[in-house]
Amino acid sequence: ASLEVDRSCSSPCLTEASHVLHVSYQARHQTYQMAPTSTRTMKKPSRDSKLGIRKNKRAPRSSPEIARRSVRLKRSTTAKKSQTFSTASGGSPRRKIKPESASDAESTPRIHLSRRTGPLNLAKLSDPLPISVYHHINREVLNLKESKTFYSCVLGLKEIPRPTFPRPGVWLQGRGLNLHLTQTLKKDAKTREELLQRRKEHFLSRIPNVDHFAFLSDHLDEIEAILVEQSVCFRKVTVPLTGAVQLFIFDPDCNLIEISSCQPEAGQLKCTPKH
C-alpha cells in the first residue's frame, strides 16, 4: 500500500504526538538503604550456675499455639473478605455495591466477578458461543460534549435514548453503526490523556495496520477537499491489491476512523470505486 502524507499533519497532529510521555525507569531501579535500627540496651540474660540455662530466654512456641494463631488469622481474613464479597450460587463472589439512594440502586449495574481468569479451552469447545449478531461499540472519551459533536456533525450519527446510568454518556446510531460514548472518570483523566498521546504517535506511524473502524463513500474526493480546507490531519492510503483508496482521520480521543472508496464483496479480492 502506498501512503500519502497530508501536510496538515505536521501542525496539529504531529505537534501533539511529539509530546509523548517518556516514562523514566530510574525510580524503579533506585536502591533504597534501610535506616539502621536503633540499638537497644538489653538486659544480659542470667545463667543458672547449676543448670547452665538462660533463665530469661524466651521459650519457642509450641505447635498447638502456632495452630491456634493460624486459625485466628484465617478467621479474621475471612471476616474482612465477607465485608466486600458475598458468595453467590456456584461459589463465585459478587461485589456488594452500596447505592447512595433508591434511584442509584435501580440504575447501578451489578458486577459479577469470576474467580476463573484462564482462557477458553478450545479443545472442549465443540460449537461457537450462541450469539446472534453484532450490536455496538463503546468508546471511553475524555470530553463527552466534544466527542458527541464530532460523531454527530462530522459522521452524521443521531442520538438515541439512553438509560439513566450514574456515569455520563450518550448513545448514537447511524451509517449502520451503534456507538456508545462514556465519559472518563476524573480520577482516570490524567492516565487517559497520556494514553491518548501515545496512541496518536503509534497510529500515525503504523497506518493502516492499526485498530480502526471503517465507512464507505462514493465521494472520497469531496471528503478529501473538505479535510484539506478545514486543515484536518489525515492520511491517504492507496491499496493496489484491492483497488481501494482510503482516508484515515482521528476522533477527539485519537480513535482512528477509515473512509474507503470501495470494499471487495465477500469472496472477491478486488473492488472498483463508483466515481
Side-chain angles (χ1 to χ4, degrees):
S2 60
L3 177 65
E4 301 177 20
V5 179
D6 182 68
R7 294 180 181 178
S8 62
C9 291
S10 60
S11 51
C13 250
L14 291 180
T15 303
E16 295 178 9
S18 62
H19 298 288
V20 181
L21 178 65
H22 297 282
V23 181
S24 173
Y25 294 93
Q26 295 180 356
R28 296 187 181 181
H29 299 287
Q30 283 181 348
T31 55
Y32 297 94
Q33 297 181 355
M34 297 182 61
T37 55
S38 58
T39 55
R40 293 170 291 183
T41 57
M42 301 184 66
K43 183 179 178 181
K44 186 176 180 180
S46 60
R47 185 179 295 273
D48 193 308
S49 58
K50 294 183 180 179
L51 301 178
I53 302 175
R54 296 176 186 268
K55 290 183 178 180
N56 58 346
K57 183 178 180 181
R58 184 176 179 181
R61 293 192 182 96
S62 60
S63 297
E65 183 181 355
I66 295 176
R68 286 193 297 271
R69 286 173 58 86
S70 300
V71 171
R72 288 197 298 268
L73 180 61
K74 186 176 181 180
R75 287 177 179 174
S76 62
T77 305
T78 305
K80 290 180 180 179
K81 287 184 177 180
S82 63
Q83 295 176 3
T84 310
F85 296 99
S86 63
T87 304
S89 60
S92 298
R94 186 184 299 275
R95 186 179 297 276
K96 289 183 177 179
I97 300 177
K98 297 181 179 179
E100 297 180 358
S101 61
S103 59
D104 288 342
E106 298 177 357
S107 60
T108 303
R110 289 176 292 180
I111 302 174
H112 182 83
L113 302 177
S114 173
R115 288 180 178 177
R116 296 192 173 102
T117 58
L120 284 172
N121 188 344
L122 299 181
K124 297 182 178 180
L125 190 65
S126 57
D127 297 314
L129 298 178
I131 59 178
S132 52
V133 294
Y134 154 83
H135 186 261
H136 73 271
I137 294 175
N138 188 85
R139 296 288 194 191
E140 184 183 7
V141 297
L142 280 170
N143 190 315
L144 183 61
K145 183 179 180 180
E146 185 178 349
S147 296
K148 176 185 174 182
T149 302
F150 173 85
Y151 282 102
S152 299
C153 298
V154 178
L155 298 183
L157 304 185
K158 304 297 182 182
E159 184 176 1
I160 60 176
R162 176 181 184 266
T164 55
F165 296 122
R167 193 164 172 179
V170 64
W171 286 2
L172 302 172
Q173 188 180 64
R175 317 292 190 189
L177 173 69
N178 289 320
L179 181 65
H180 297 179
L181 303 179
T182 307
Q183 176 69 54
T184 299
L185 297 175
K186 290 184 178 180
K187 64 178 182 179
D188 300 329
K190 184 177 179 180
T191 304
R192 290 286 299 179
E193 289 174 357
E194 295 169 356
L195 177 63
L196 180 146
Q197 297 300 331
R198 294 198 297 270
R199 282 168 59 89
K200 181 176 289 186
E201 183 183 63
H202 174 74
F203 285 174
L204 283 172
S205 62
R206 301 293 193 278
I207 289 173
N209 302 310
V210 289
D211 301 337
H212 66 274
F213 58 89
F215 297 93
L216 295 177
S217 175
D218 298 332
H219 309 281
L220 209 66
D221 294 336
E222 182 180 346
I223 294 176
E224 183 178 358
I226 294 174
L227 297 177
V228 172
E229 180 184 357
Q230 298 291 330
S231 298
V232 175
C233 174
F234 69 95
R235 290 287 191 272
K236 184 177 181 180
V237 179
T238 303
V239 188
L241 289 178
T242 62
V245 180
Q246 304 165 339
L247 298 177
F248 289 88
I249 60 176
F250 288 101
D251 75 353
D253 289 86
C254 287
N255 296 304
L256 202 59
I257 301 169
E258 172 193 334
I259 305 174
S260 181
S261 60
C262 66
Q263 181 68 25
E265 297 292 338
Q268 302 296 323
L269 300 178
K270 299 278 290 187
C271 67
T272 304
K274 295 183 179 180
H275 63 282

